[in-house]
Every structure is written in C-alpha cells, then in structure tokens.
Amino acid sequence: MVKTNKRRASLQEQPNKSAAATVACAGCHPLLASPPEGKHELSGEGEDRVEQEPERAPGIDCCAVCANDCATEVLCAGCATVIYCSEEHREEDGPNHSHVCETLRLMRAAEALPALNGGGGGGGGGAAADSKAEPQHESVLEQPPVYRGTPDGFRVPSSAGAGAGAAAAAAAGAGEAAEGAAAAAAAAAAPQEGWAAVIPPKFRAVLGGSAAGEAVEEGGAAAAAAAEGAEDKAEHPRKKARKSAVDGAAGSLKGAAAVAAAKPDSADAQLLLAAQLADRTAELTYVYTAAQALLAAGPAAKVAVAASRSGRALQLVVLGAAEDAELSDLAAWQVVAAALDTDVRVVFVGPQVPERLAGMGAQYGRVAMRFVQATYDEMASGKIAGVDPSSLDSAATVFLAFNPGFTCPDYDWGPTLDAIAARSGSGRAAGAVLVVATNTRVEALMDCELLLERGWRPAGGAEPNPYTSLQARQSGTLANDLYRKNAWLVSYQHVGEQGDEEDEQEREGGRGGRRRRRRALRVGGGGGGPRGAAGRVARALLDTLKKPFKGLMRRR
C-alpha cells in the first residue's frame, strides 16, 4: 500500500480565506481561472526521495507520486504534461491533478500560438512595447499632461472601489447582524474592482464577457489540438525529449492562426486573447498592486493621504527590484501617481537592478525614479557611491516587497529589515510601513510569523489581491503546483519589538503583554485561533505544513 503524504493532504483541506481569492467568474476564459494552491501530493516514498535528492521535480522529470525515475513514462492523457511511472500512480494522482489539468492543457495550447512566439498578430503588443522606452541618464521623458492609462489601454484604477472596501472593513467590529447588513450594502454599492475595471475593452470577452462563454464551450477540442502542437519551453532536457516524442501537430499552427484571424470569436482567438491578457497582467501586477495597497484602507493609504495633504511627494521604496518584474514597464508606474493624484518618487533597490539602469534617475510625468543596484541596508548605510542616504529620508515613505521570500533560506533579509527598523526608531520614519505581496497564502503566513518577531504588526490577515497576475505558472518543482504572482497582500507597520516589555509586565503580574501577544497572533494568522494546548498543537501543525513549501520556495 502506498503511504500518503498527510502533510500535503491536510494543507489541501484548508479553505481559501475569501471567495475573492478565485478570479474566475461567469464567462471568464478557463485559462484565467485562479489555480488552487497546494494540489501536489507525494507518497511517503516520494517524500523521502525528494528530501534525499532535492533537485528532483516530481511530475516533471520523475513520477509525480513516488518521485522514481520512469522506465516507461505514462503521460496524463488530458494535459500531456505530467508524467507517472505507472497507470496505477496516474489513477492515484487523479483527484489532485484534476484541479490543474485543464489549466496545464490550456497553458500548452497558448504556447503553441504564433502570436505569443514572435509570430506576429496579437493586437496591442506594439503599444505595450512603446510604453517601455528605456530612460536615458537623468532623463525627463515627455508624457501627456494628464495620465489616463497605459498606451495599450489599461486604465487608472478608481479610489471608489477601495473606499467601499474600507467601509466594509470598518463594519467588522460591529455585531454579526450589523456586520452582515453593512457587508451586503457595501457589496451592492461597490463598483467593479480589480482587472475587470481597468482592462481595455477588447479583453472583456475573456474576463466576464458573454461571448467568451460560448466560444470557450465550443472550443475544447480545438484548444486540445493546439496543445498537442505546443512547443516546450521548459529547460529540463528530459521534459524536452518527452514532448518532442508526443508533439506531432506543429504543422497545424499556420492553419490555426488563419482560423483565429478569420474568426475573432473562435476558440483559438479567445485563447490567444486570454493568453495576451495573462501576459500583460504579469507585467502590470506590480504597479496596480502598489496602487491597490495605497488606495485601500490601511497604513499605506494613511501615508499616501498624509503626503497628499502636506503637498509632499510620496516615496515608494521597492525592495529587491528586478528587470523581469518591478522594472518590466517603468512608464506604467504613472498609474500610481494618477490614482493618488499626487507626485510620487520611486526608489528601485536590489542586487538584480540591471547595470544599464544602476545609478540613473528618470522622470515619467509625475513619477521620479532612482535605480540603485544594492541591498537596502547597503544603500541606507552610505556604502553606495552617488547615493546620499539623507536624500532618501522622508516621513511619507512606503516600502514595497513583491514575493520577497523572507523565510527562504537562500535569501538573507535580516540586514534590510534591521535597516528599516532603525529608521523607524530614529524618529525620521516612525512606524515605517511595509506592503508585502506573496504568491501563496502559506508564504504570506510564513512571512507574517517572521515579521511579527521583528516588530512588524500586520494591518489584517492575508487578503486576496484583486490585481494578482492572471498568468498561471508551474512551479518547476512540483508538476501539480500552480501559482500566480502577487496573489496575496498584507500591509505591516513597524511598532518595535516589545518582547522584553511584555515579559517584564508578566513578571510584575500585569496582563497587558499577554493580551498584546495574543492579539498579534490572532491578527497575524488572519483570524482567531485556539489557545492553550490546542494553540500549541495548531502551531505545531502549521510548522509541519510549512516544511514541504520551504523547499518549493527555494527552487521556485
């Protein structure tokens, strides 16, 4: 009998905190549906083998269940992506794999479309490329006097939706009846929020349009045919060899492109449109996530309001900035200034800031930028030539961290967090504000646990991000593990480490320290939790659940 990995099974039983975590709606293309988290389950044998050989990727280069090498590979018949060593293991993994099979199939089909592989077409790619003009040294780029959105039609988000959300949050302290009534009223009055409110009209057919539903229903067979001819983009050589053996329909790509061009409502055309939207939101998620955090109720919004009222520029410090993430579309950061109607200064800091931008400054409309190739603690300590740490001092500062991996052993965030805490304690930036976006809720909870120990207090539990990337990604470590960039959002404010004070109060018989600690734990976990012996058991279970994810995060 195959021993089941109960740790992963237990994680699957945890419900999403909010129905908003699922972006899928009536008429949405299935490629844009939010993938469920933690749907890969190894056998006990597989778990042991992966722990001994961490470089194994179950379902990608070995069996998805037992992590053994496959003498004869058995592919999933639906997505032709996940491999097994036997039919028995394929059937055993069926309940888990079924949650992601359709998404994986559509991802392969989208990779086959010429417009996504430099084959032309696609509509809108040119406008997006135009918005990414490279800044010259200390450049001031000409922008329209009133910024209304990106050149390819993504609009500036309205603060009305965030205001409705804030009103609903304010009712959380009321009784159950009043809370339910207030939430219902807020939901009825709230306008569209998230991507549906800002996307160009051409994408409405795949993100809620009625025409999309019909095209998607009739297009299953066509999408499957396109998937069979998909070009493999994975780096693993065995995966490339496997797919080259099963892909035999590459010659049909030109015909599929002709059909998509002739029939805009065809399944191929709808898939192409959905894939283009997913790819574009993968670039814009950083900008719109920042705007969301600054518009919604919370400490970041308070800093933004204070800056606007005082006439000062709002300063955003983007930690760990990288070229293929936060720096992928610099001009789009004007969305933040336009949404807040205030001047914004953005400091992109991180070891992965490219050489061509390092040390430069740029101006896009009301957004001034500075690029620093260093860690924040190095920059704040004055170790970087040409960067005056005092020029970064501003009470109106919000720190942004996108998928930072605070608990990942491959990164050392300690010095940076210490440097930010030092600024908070110096009186120059008391109560520093940090916004953290993570790919999964488990990562958000792990980051929260670490930050609590360092004196950061979350404004609430991990919330689904309405501006998460719509592009589903396969982790590369576990075949059934799909995720989206910036799916969860938490805002923190630094309040200092109070452990010594609480211990002193407890020794003196006071209960203030114990109350604060319990309150912090409830907030950090996104809700109330068990206490006493039950609480210790729950925390031990959480530690057990986190173990397999640490390896996953390290190689993601």
Side-chain angles (χ1 to χ4, degrees):
M1 178 180 292
V2 177
K3 178 177 145 188
T4 301
N5 178 1
K6 297 298 183 182
R7 287 180 286 178
R8 295 190 188 275
S10 299
L11 181 61
Q12 294 167 23
E13 295 169 2
Q14 293 184 356
N16 283 335
K17 179 179 177 182
S18 168
T22 301
V23 177
C25 58
C28 287
H29 195 282
L31 181 66
L32 305 177
S34 179
E37 294 182 10
K39 288 300 177 183
H40 200 113
E41 182 176 340
L42 292 171
S43 66
E45 178 187 1
E47 178 75 10
D48 293 339
R49 183 165 285 106
V50 169
E51 288 182 358
Q52 294 171 4
E53 302 177 50
E55 296 308 313
R56 283 186 176 269
I60 298 174
D61 62 3
C62 58
C63 177
V65 175
C66 66
N68 272 322
D69 293 330
C70 302
T72 302
E73 293 181 349
V74 178
L75 281 171
C76 168
C79 65
T81 300
V82 181
I83 65 171
Y84 305 91
C85 65
S86 65
E87 289 286 349
E88 178 186 1
H89 278 182
R90 183 172 69 171
E91 293 178 3
E92 180 182 340
D93 192 48
N96 294 316
H97 179 65
S98 63
H99 293 282
V100 299
C101 184
E102 175 70 0
T103 302
L104 287 171
R105 181 179 68 83
L106 291 171
M107 288 167 62
R108 285 198 68 211
E111 290 176 359
L113 298 175
L116 293 182
N117 293 308
D130 291 342
S131 72
K132 303 175 186 178
E134 283 291 324
Q136 302 300 319
H137 190 72
E138 299 296 341
S139 60
V140 178
L141 304 183
E142 292 294 330
Q143 299 293 328
V146 178
Y147 185 82
R148 304 202 181 274
T150 66
D152 53 345
F154 283 80
R155 298 187 297 277
V156 175
S158 168
S159 60
E176 292 186 3
E179 180 181 353
Q192 271 188 323
E193 64 174 3
W195 292 118
V198 301
I199 58 175
K202 70 173 184 177
F203 289 125
R204 292 174 186 165
V206 293
L207 197 65
S210 59
E214 300 174 0
V216 168
E217 288 179 5
E218 71 179 17
E228 292 176 359
E231 295 180 0
D232 180 25
K233 295 182 179 180
E235 296 184 357
H236 199 282
R238 290 189 60 191
K239 188 174 180 180
K240 289 182 180 179
R242 182 180 70 255
K243 285 191 176 179
S244 64
V246 298
D247 291 346
S252 65
L253 290 180
K254 292 183 179 179
V259 172
K263 299 180 179 180
D265 291 335
S266 69
D268 286 336
Q270 293 292 312
L271 177 60
L272 175 61
L273 201 60
Q276 289 174 338
L277 177 59
D279 289 354
R280 187 64 174 129
T281 59
E283 297 175 333
L284 295 177
T285 177
Y286 306 94
V287 174
Y288 281 86
T289 296
Q292 169 69 16
L294 294 164
L295 288 171
K302 292 180 181 178
V303 173
V305 169
S308 179
R309 289 177 178 174
S310 65
R312 295 173 298 174
L314 172 66
Q315 180 169 265
L316 304 178
V317 179
V318 181
L319 304 170
E323 185 172 13
D324 61 349
E326 298 88 348
L327 304 175
S328 59
D329 191 343
L330 295 175
W333 282 89
Q334 293 176 95
V335 165
V336 177
L340 299 173
D341 191 22
T342 190
D343 294 335
V344 176
R345 180 185 185 189
V346 187
V347 181
F348 296 100
V349 56
Q352 296 184 41
V353 170
E355 287 286 349
R356 69 177 188 279
L357 296 178
M360 287 178 51
Q363 184 87 27
Y364 289 88
R366 302 181 70 178
V367 180
M369 297 181 177
R370 174 68 63 180
F371 307 93
V372 182
Q373 190 186 59
T375 60
Y376 177 79
D377 56 290
E378 293 171 340
M379 180 182 69
S381 63
K383 296 179 180 179
I384 306 303
V387 178
D388 180 9
S390 63
S391 67
L392 304 175
D393 291 343
S394 172
T397 298
V398 174
F399 294 87
L400 302 172
F402 297 96
N403 189 34
F406 285 137
T407 59
C408 179
D410 288 352
Y411 308 119
D412 182 10
W413 282 96
T416 287
L417 294 174
D418 290 342
I420 298 174
R423 295 184 74 247
S424 297
S426 67
R428 294 177 296 175
V433 173
L434 172 65
V435 176
V436 181
T438 60
N439 299 341
T440 66
R441 186 166 182 250
V442 169
E443 292 172 88
L445 294 177
M446 293 167 64
D447 286 348
C448 183
E449 184 179 358
L450 180 144
L451 291 171
L452 276 171
E453 295 175 353
R454 288 182 168 270
W456 292 89
R457 177 177 296 169
E463 296 289 347
N465 177 16
Y467 292 106
T468 177
S469 167
L470 298 180
Q471 182 186 70
R473 298 191 178 195
Q474 192 177 31
S475 70
T477 301
L478 297 169
N480 289 336
D481 179 63
L482 303 185
Y483 67 96
R484 284 171 159 180
K485 289 286 188 180
N486 306 326
W488 296 88
L489 200 58
V490 185
S491 293
Y492 297 86
Q493 188 157 26
H494 193 264
V495 296
E497 298 183 30
Q498 301 175 348
D500 294 340
E501 176 186 347
E502 292 173 358
D503 290 343
E504 180 64 26
Q505 288 185 351
E506 288 188 12
R507 284 195 297 268
E508 294 176 358
R511 293 182 293 178
R514 291 193 295 273
R515 287 174 177 169
R516 280 194 296 273
R517 184 178 292 112
R518 289 167 180 166
R519 183 167 59 248
L521 287 173
R522 289 197 298 271
V523 172
R531 304 178 182 179
R536 289 191 294 273
V537 171
R539 286 190 289 274
L541 176 60
L542 177 61
D543 291 339
T544 302
L545 293 174
K546 290 189 303 185
K547 182 178 179 182
F549 277 83
K550 290 183 178 179
L552 184 152
M553 290 169 56
R554 184 163 49 244
R555 287 145 43 199
R556 187 173 267 176

